[in-house]
């Protein structure tokens, strides 16, 4: 099933993790990476493991540190006994990094958890999105980030004055979407950092939905309701989908019409995907 809202929570803050457990997020991402200062990593690992030991109503993933930091091994070792529902892999450079993390997770025995890579954080990763096949049995989706990529590019900003991503970041996002759909997994849109601007969040989430994204990362609990609503098929779109399936079945062949518009196999595929998404619960 595709989670719609994925809420980041700094792993060194028990107060925020407890607050997040009461949010509407479909999944939490307990962060051991960029929101945790270097000196606080050991305490964050312990706090995240303790939080995982208590019940919570949603899925809980852990974002480990990047593989090349030398910290990921200790991150996994600390939280894996508490059995998170999955892992988020930042600065993922290619499918081989997914395999490396999967092996780390499984090393202790009770592994098998799914992995959500953040797959656009370096120029090399963006090249790999178009060049490689990212299919992997542990992939639960692909997501992207514009902050680290901006730093790698030497960019001054990732958005223009109107709040639209500059072209290199649109390229990265689109490449990630292609790689995700080619691998048959959900595409998850990046964070909207201006967390006091619900209108801007709504517009960005809608634009992502329109091109095929299935969910969005969040940084604040208040963003989850908007994201969930955007990525839940509306009654109108479900009515359209049911009408398409009925029209195609009635026509009994490859082509039909609905309200004067031609329907063929791609429309049927879209309609079935919408109905499947609605049946997620
Ligand atoms: N998870 C859980 N609780 C959160 C939260 C989050 N991501 N973001 C905010 N809250 C809590 C706050 O602690 C506060 O709780 P309180 O009322 O009990 O004190 C409440 O929600 C309201 O927060 P607000 O005052 O609006 O924001 P803030 O200034 O406290 O926090 C951020 C702003 C950006 C620091 C915070 O949203 C945050 O830590 N986000 C996640 C950052 C992160 O993980 N980044 C890495 C991925 S990009
Ligand atoms: Mg980062």
């Amino acid at each position: 099933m595709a989670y719609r809202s994925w809420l980041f929570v700094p792993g060194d803050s028990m107060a925020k993790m407890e607050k997040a457990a009461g949010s509407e997020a479909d999944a939490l991402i307990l962060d051991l990476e960029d929101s945790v200062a270097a000196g606080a990593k050991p305490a964050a690992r312990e706090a995240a493991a303790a939080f995982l030991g208590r019940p919570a109503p949603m899925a809980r993933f852990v974002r480990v540190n990047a593989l090349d930091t030398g910290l990921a091994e200790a991150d996994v070792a600390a939280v894996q006994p508490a059995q998170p529902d999955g892992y988020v892999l930042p600065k993922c450079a290619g499918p081989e990094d997914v395999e490396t993390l999967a092996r780390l997770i499984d090393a202790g025995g009770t592994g098998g958890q799914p992995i959500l890579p953040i797959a656009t954080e370096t120029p090399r990763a963006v090249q790999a999105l178009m060049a490689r096949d990212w299919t992997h049995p542990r992939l639960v989706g692909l997501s992207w980030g514009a902050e680290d990529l901006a730093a790698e590019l030497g960019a001054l900003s990732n958005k223009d004055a109107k709040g639209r991503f500059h072209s290199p970041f649109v390229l990265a996002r689109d490449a990630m979407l292609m790689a995700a759909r080619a691998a048959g997994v959900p595409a998850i849109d990046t964070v909207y950092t201006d967390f006091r601007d619900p209108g801007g969040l709504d517009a960005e989430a809608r634009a992502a939905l329109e091109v095929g994204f299935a969910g969005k990362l969040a940084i604040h609990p208040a963003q989850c309701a908007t994201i969930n609503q955007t990525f839940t098929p509306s009654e109108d779109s479900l009515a359209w989908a049911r009408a398409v399936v009925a029209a195609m079945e009635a026509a009994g062949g490859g082509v039909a019409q609905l309200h004067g518009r031609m329907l063929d196999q791609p429309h049927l595929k879209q309609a079935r995907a919408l109905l499947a998404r609605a049946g997620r619960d």
Side-chain angles (χ1 to χ4, degrees):
M1 111 162 162
Y3 302 121
R4 300 162 299 178
S5 50
W6 301 68
L7 175 61
F8 274 110
V9 198
D12 60 348
S13 170
M14 189 55 90
K16 280 184 185 170
M17 288 190 282
E18 279 167 356
K19 187 121 194 161
S23 77
E24 292 172 57
D26 285 343
L28 305 184
I29 304 174
L30 314 180
D31 189 25
L32 301 179
E33 201 221 7
D34 281 349
S35 71
V36 177
K41 303 282 184 194
R45 289 178 188 130
E46 262 182 52
F51 175 66
L52 286 166
R54 305 172 196 167
M58 68 282 281
R60 286 173 293 181
F61 282 57
V62 172
R63 180 165 77 167
V64 294
N65 287 279
L67 294 174
D68 64 4
T69 60
L71 297 171
E73 288 80 358
D75 292 339
V76 172
V79 297
Q80 183 59 14
Q83 294 284 289
D85 295 293
Y87 287 85
V88 173
L89 179 60
K91 298 167 182 96
C92 179
E96 61 285 347
D97 284 355
V98 177
E99 182 57 30
T100 301
L101 179 60
R103 272 193 259 114
L104 265 184
I105 296 167
D106 297 351
T110 49
Q113 281 94 339
I115 296 169
L116 178 75
I118 316 271
T120 64
E121 295 194 306
T122 62
R124 196 168 295 284
V126 177
Q127 290 178 312
L129 285 168
M130 292 303 274
R132 311 277 304 278
D133 178 1
W134 285 64
T135 307
H136 192 283
R138 300 288 277 275
L139 268 196
V140 69
L142 280 182
S143 190
W144 75 287
E147 314 297 327
D148 289 275
L149 182 59
E152 292 283 326
L153 291 176
L156 301 179
S157 167
N158 52 37
K159 286 184 168 174
D160 67 17
K162 287 187 173 155
R164 295 169 306 203
F165 279 111
H166 284 305
S167 58
F169 304 93
V170 174
L171 172 79
R173 180 191 85 145
D174 291 353
M176 186 240 94
L177 174 64
M178 299 296 163
R181 301 309 295 146
V185 296
I188 307 301
D189 196 24
T190 195
V191 295
Y192 187 74
T193 52
D194 192 355
F195 61 87
R196 303 223 195 278
D197 174 16
L201 170 68
D202 185 55
E204 196 172 274
R206 263 171 210 291
L209 171 79
E210 281 183 15
V211 297
F213 283 86
K216 189 166 175 65
L217 304 176
I219 52 157
H220 193 287
Q223 295 183 317
C224 296
T226 301
I227 293 173
N228 289 347
Q229 196 186 355
T230 300
F231 292 99
T232 303
S234 68
E235 267 317 308
D236 282 357
S237 65
L238 291 177
W240 170 85
R242 283 189 284 266
V244 168
V245 172
M248 291 293 281
E249 276 171 5
V255 64
Q257 70 87 23
L258 183 65
H259 310 314
R261 291 207 176 158
M262 190 270 296
L263 296 177
D264 64 359
Q265 297 307 310
H267 304 101
L268 184 58
K269 194 170 178 182
Q270 266 176 321
R272 289 203 170 123
L274 258 172
L275 293 169
R277 197 185 282 185
R280 60 189 291 284
D281 292 327

